[in-house]
Amino acid sequence: MKQKKIPLRKSLVSNEQFPKRDLLRIAFDKEGKISIDPTGKAHGRGAYIALLNEEAATAKKKRVFDRAFQTKVTDEFYDELIAYVEHQVARRALADTTYSADLAPDYD
């Protein structure tokens, strides 16, 4: 059976290709509003960064969305982005943790 094609996108910060589900989309709509787009379906121009803490911090340091959207992005947005990425990274780490009956305490 033919394998399904995995869509790839490039991260603005590292310039590396990643599977689309491993990236976070930032949307810039016609009204000039910039927002975090976790579903990847919001209207407007999109730019992607990898869901890594280092990438979010570097995005703020280099102000990559100012260049990508050719507008001034507030520091509050970058702080919100860093907090969101940290939260998502923590959720993924928790989801990757496997629980075993052997590790559970014995209450007998």
Side-chain angles (χ1 to χ4, degrees):
M1 190 168 169
K2 194 173 181 182
Q3 249 188 343
K4 191 174 181 179
K5 184 180 171 190
I6 299 172
L8 298 175
R9 298 289 182 269
K10 190 182 280 191
S11 171
L12 276 180
V13 177
S14 64
N15 241 2
E16 291 181 52
Q17 294 267 344
F18 290 98
K20 192 174 175 182
R21 63 179 174 80
D22 293 341
L23 295 170
L24 177 64
R25 182 173 187 260
I26 309 300
F28 179 67
D29 62 13
K30 290 180 181 178
E31 290 81 38
K33 185 174 179 249
I34 297 174
S35 60
I36 296 172
D37 180 18
T39 62
K41 297 179 181 180
H43 293 289
R45 180 174 174 79
Y48 294 88
I49 67 163
L51 269 172
L52 302 169
N53 292 333
E54 305 84 40
E55 290 236 352
T58 307
K60 181 178 181 179
K61 181 180 170 190
K62 292 184 177 179
R63 304 199 63 86
V64 294
F65 297 114
D66 291 17
R67 284 184 286 130
F69 299 133
Q70 298 176 350
T71 187
K72 175 79 171 106
V73 179
T74 63
D75 283 334
E76 290 81 28
F77 175 78
Y78 283 109
D79 293 336
E80 179 185 339
L81 174 69
I82 290 170
Y84 182 83
V85 169
E86 286 175 352
H87 177 73
Q88 291 300 318
V89 168
R91 284 188 62 175
R92 282 194 177 185
L94 190 62
D96 291 343
T97 307
T98 57
Y99 295 100
S100 172
D102 299 335
L103 299 176
D106 191 16
Y107 292 112
D108 293 337

